[in-house]
Amino acid sequence: MRPTIVLLSPRDDHEELVTRLREVGSYRESEFFDRLDRGECRFGVDVSGDVIGEFDEEELSEISGKLGEFRAVLIEYPDMACVRDLLGDVLSGIRGILDTNHGELLDYESVLRRFQLDPSWDWRSSGDEVIPGTNS
């Protein structure tokens, strides 16, 4: 299985995020993961929100405390360069939290700022910029 992230956004921002994902490349719906192709990068996208069932009650409470009612998008990605470019194109101006699936919950703004400051940043080997009060 390829690496995954979860994008957690308030309802209004979630709708905008899903729209952007569907417009940012060649998007094709499928039974399990939708497919998003951007150049040489292929992503799996699940907008069903089913991934929320994998969070424990404490995590859900922390996320709700930051975002209120929220929705989730699961993204399967091939490598950091591809996901960095994708997130740069779809997250700007949207509120939310990125679950790295490596023990961190990071707000979208922090993720974009970090990529600008350090284009080689890889959350899979980093432990900073965690949102205070969250423990993923």
Side-chain angles (χ1 to χ4, degrees):
M1 185 169 146
R2 298 187 312 167
T4 59
I5 56 172
V6 181
L7 302 176
L8 305 152
S9 305
R11 179 182 296 216
D12 291 344
D13 292 274
H14 172 80
E15 297 303 325
E16 177 64 21
L17 175 62
V18 170
T19 297
R20 290 180 186 185
L21 285 168
R22 289 182 173 152
E23 294 175 348
V24 76
S26 174
Y27 194 94
R28 187 172 61 213
E29 293 183 9
S30 184
E31 186 176 347
F32 298 106
F33 272 98
D34 294 347
R35 190 166 101 190
L36 170 61
D37 291 316
R38 289 174 41 100
E40 300 297 316
C41 301
R42 175 169 289 166
F43 301 90
V45 180
D46 178 5
V47 298
S48 71
D50 291 347
V51 70
I52 291 174
E54 296 179 21
F55 287 83
D56 65 35
E57 288 302 317
E58 184 178 323
E59 290 172 317
L60 293 173
S61 177
E62 291 174 10
I63 295 165
S64 292
K66 298 285 184 189
L67 301 178
E69 185 178 341
F70 65 92
R71 302 277 194 269
V73 175
L74 175 65
I75 297 180
E76 181 184 68
Y77 61 96
D79 58 43
M80 283 302 296
C82 288
V83 77
R84 177 178 40 252
D85 290 343
L86 175 68
L87 296 177
D89 286 345
V90 301
L91 292 184
S92 181
I94 294 180
R95 294 181 312 120
I97 296 172
L98 183 149
D99 180 348
T100 65
N101 284 327
H102 287 273
E104 294 181 291
L105 295 173
L106 308 170
D107 68 74
Y108 294 169
E109 186 178 315
S110 293
V111 170
L112 296 175
R113 183 173 54 249
R114 184 64 190 263
F115 281 144
Q116 287 177 337
L117 295 173
D118 181 5
S120 65
W121 173 59
D122 184 339
W123 55 65
R124 298 171 300 179
S125 61
S126 170
D128 56 348
E129 293 222 29
V130 175
I131 297 173
T134 59
N135 302 319
S136 178

